[in-house]
């Protein structure tokens, strides 16, 4: 099984390939949470999470809403 | 009692409350929720941040305490120092909030003062307006920049009263007044309010609303301060609409009648 490394929120995360955005979210135990995801600076719409493949070296940002003014 | 005819209209949507509040710096979500309820605010700001990877997946979520079905959630770009980062943050926010277009743009210029970088703010505004965002924009109290942001298509102009988190109150009421006079979109004071009188003064100047976070969250009793701010914004708004009496050094007309005062006691010996 091939393993690729992603930069997720600035941290190196090794995952089995191939992997979609939805699978990454599941692996990070974020399923069902209200999150948004960006891949290499581009938004990945929620509706495309199950189709969007991730590649070795991808920079992924996963965000939530937090307290702020 | 809220006057129906005096609603705050932002991007075509009417709000009964003219107080907008942030959700930062509270002890916990329970306090956040109670304070926001006490404030009467309908528009509530949130920040967008990286989720903790691999730490406590059952951590409570802010949007469970402050439900988007009950409040208009206003995602901000706090912490962004470039137009590009601010735009990316709000694209993520729009995705996070299911296509919600109303956002608060702030691009900071300096981590110490948190003073806005108006050059980057103008650039980000142009991009966001083009992409269909409804931009409520935090800016300095420069009337020219405020007008330019309005011309770009921002739906509300939000000049600072003083620096973010400073609680210094309204330091330049004259600039605010010029901005208010020139603007055809709502003008809200954002940042710098320290206590209830600051909020009342902003509203008396003719601001359409006030946005605050620290003044409530950093009070000893945030829930009570939230109540105070609600009353102050309402009082200031009413005073503005009522139209204050002119200031003058002497009053030629006392409040009580000048005639009918009882006669002075006469000295019988005279």
């Amino acid at each position: 099984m091939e393993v690729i490394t992603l930069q997720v929120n600035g941290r190196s995360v090794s995952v089995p390939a191939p992997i979609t955005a939805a699978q990454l979210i599941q692996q990070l135990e974020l399923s069902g949470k209200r999150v948004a995801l960006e891949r290499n600076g581009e938004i990945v719409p929620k509706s495309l999470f199950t189709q969007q493949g991730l590649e070795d070296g991808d920079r992924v940002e996963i965000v939530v809403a937090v307290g702020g003014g | 009692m809220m006057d129906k005819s005096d609603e705050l209209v932002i991007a075509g949507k009417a709000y009964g409350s003219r107080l907008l509040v942030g959700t930062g710096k509270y002890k916990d979500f329970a306090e956040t929720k109670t304070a926001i309820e006490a404030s009467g605010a309908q528009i509530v700001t949130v920040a967008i941040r990286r989720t903790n990877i691999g730490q406590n997946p059952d951590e409570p979520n802010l949007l469970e305490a402050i439900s988007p079905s009950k409040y208009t959630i206003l995602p901000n770009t706090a912490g962004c120092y470039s137009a590009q980062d601010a735009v990316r943050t709000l694209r993520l926010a729009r995705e996070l909030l299911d296509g919600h277009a109303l956002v608060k743009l702030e691009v900071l210029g300096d981590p110490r003062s948190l003073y806005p970088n108006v050059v980057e703010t103008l650039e980000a505004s142009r991009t966001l307006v083009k992409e269909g965002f409804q931009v409520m924009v935090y800016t300095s109290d420069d009337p020219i920049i405020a007008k330019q942001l309005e011309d770009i298509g921002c739906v509300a102009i939000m000049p600072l009263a003083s620096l973010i988190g400073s609680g210094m109150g309204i330091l330049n009421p004259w600039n605010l007044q010029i901005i208010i006079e020139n603007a055809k979109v709502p003008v809200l004071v954002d940042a710098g309010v320290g206590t209830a009188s600051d909020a009342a003064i902003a509203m008396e100047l003719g601001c359409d609303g006030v946005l605050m976070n620290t003044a409530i969250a950093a009070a000893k009793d945030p829930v009570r301060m939230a109540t105070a701010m609600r009353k102050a914004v309402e009082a200031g708004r009413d005073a503005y609409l009522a139209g204050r009496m002119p200031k003058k050094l002497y009053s030629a007309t006392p409040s009580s009648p000048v005639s009918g005062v009882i006669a002075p006691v006469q000295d019988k010996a005279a």
Side-chain angles (χ1 to χ4, degrees):
Chain A
M1 189 172 62
E2 197 195 346
V3 171
I4 58 169
T5 302
L6 308 171
Q7 293 298 317
V8 182
N9 290 357
R11 285 177 52 183
S12 293
V13 177
S14 294
V15 293
I19 187 167
T20 63
Q23 286 165 334
L24 176 67
I25 284 169
Q26 192 176 18
Q27 190 159 329
L28 297 172
E29 299 182 63
L30 296 171
S31 304
K33 304 262 177 198
R34 198 186 264 271
V35 297
L37 186 145
E38 188 193 62
R39 173 182 175 246
N40 299 330
E42 300 291 330
I43 283 286
V44 179
K46 254 177 264 183
S47 56
L48 297 179
F49 279 2
T50 53
Q51 296 160 50
Q52 180 65 59
L54 301 174
E55 286 163 28
D56 191 50
D58 274 359
R59 284 172 293 110
V60 178
E61 296 283 349
I62 304 175
V63 300
V64 290
V66 301
Chain B
M1 208 44 162
M2 200 58 69
D3 181 356
K4 268 255 174 236
S5 64
D6 185 40
E7 288 175 319
L8 169 63
V9 179
I10 298 173
K13 194 175 168 196
Y15 301 91
S17 169
R18 290 174 178 272
L19 173 58
L20 288 69
V21 298
T23 51
K25 301 184 184 173
Y26 286 99
K27 191 176 68 193
D28 52 31
F29 287 156
E31 189 183 68
T32 314
K33 189 168 182 270
T34 316
I36 289 171
E37 276 165 10
S39 77
Q42 293 166 293
I43 302 178
V44 175
T45 66
V46 303
I48 304 299
R49 288 291 179 272
R50 286 171 160 176
T51 182
N52 286 331
I53 301 294
Q55 295 170 25
N56 191 10
D58 294 323
E59 199 177 18
N61 184 315
L62 174 65
L63 296 179
E64 283 159 18
I66 307 297
S67 166
S69 61
K70 189 170 170 197
Y71 295 98
T72 296
I73 303 295
L74 188 66
N76 71 22
T77 60
C80 291
Y81 287 84
S82 71
Q84 193 191 22
D85 286 350
V87 169
R88 281 173 59 209
T89 299
L90 291 178
R91 285 177 186 148
L92 282 163
R94 179 156 67 177
E95 197 52 38
L96 191 70
L97 295 165
D98 308 318
H100 172 86
L102 189 71
V103 295
K104 171 180 159 178
L105 172 66
E106 59 180 296
V107 187
L108 303 177
D110 166 43
R112 188 154 172 252
S113 66
L114 303 177
Y115 203 81
N117 180 332
V118 295
V119 176
E120 294 290 316
T121 302
L122 285 164
E123 191 189 322
S125 298
R126 283 188 202 100
T127 307
L128 291 166
V129 168
K130 255 184 233 150
E131 293 185 11
F133 285 93
Q134 295 166 341
V135 183
M136 300 179 71
V137 61
Y138 171 64
T139 183
S140 68
D141 60 8
D142 179 333
I144 306 302
I145 298 295
K147 193 69 203 166
Q148 289 182 358
L149 289 165
E150 181 180 342
D151 291 344
I152 287 168
C154 293
V155 298
I157 309 299
M158 305 202 291
L160 50 77
S162 47
L163 297 178
I164 293 174
S166 71
M168 294 279 279
I170 295 165
L171 298 186
N172 197 339
W174 311 108
N175 270 28
L176 285 181
Q177 215 164 324
I178 296 169
I179 292 171
I180 292 162
E181 275 180 29
N182 288 343
K184 292 184 186 68
V185 296
V187 175
L188 294 88
V189 154
D190 179 2
V193 166
T195 188
S197 53
D198 296 334
I201 290 168
M203 296 308 292
E204 287 173 4
L205 284 170
C207 284
D208 296 280
V210 180
L211 197 164
M212 66 179 75
N213 190 153
T214 312
I216 295 174
K220 286 201 180 77
D221 182 345
V223 177
R224 192 162 199 143
M225 187 56 91
T227 308
M229 291 299 185
R230 173 174 56 75
K231 291 175 179 169
V233 168
E234 286 176 9
R237 178 65 181 174
D238 273 337
Y240 168 72
L241 292 176
R244 63 154 298 149
M245 61 163 284
K247 282 183 186 174
K248 50 200 167 185
L249 191 52
Y250 297 104
S251 169
T253 50
S255 304
S256 306
V258 288
S259 63
V261 179
I262 59 167
V265 176
Q266 298 294 316
D267 185 352
K268 279 182 188 167

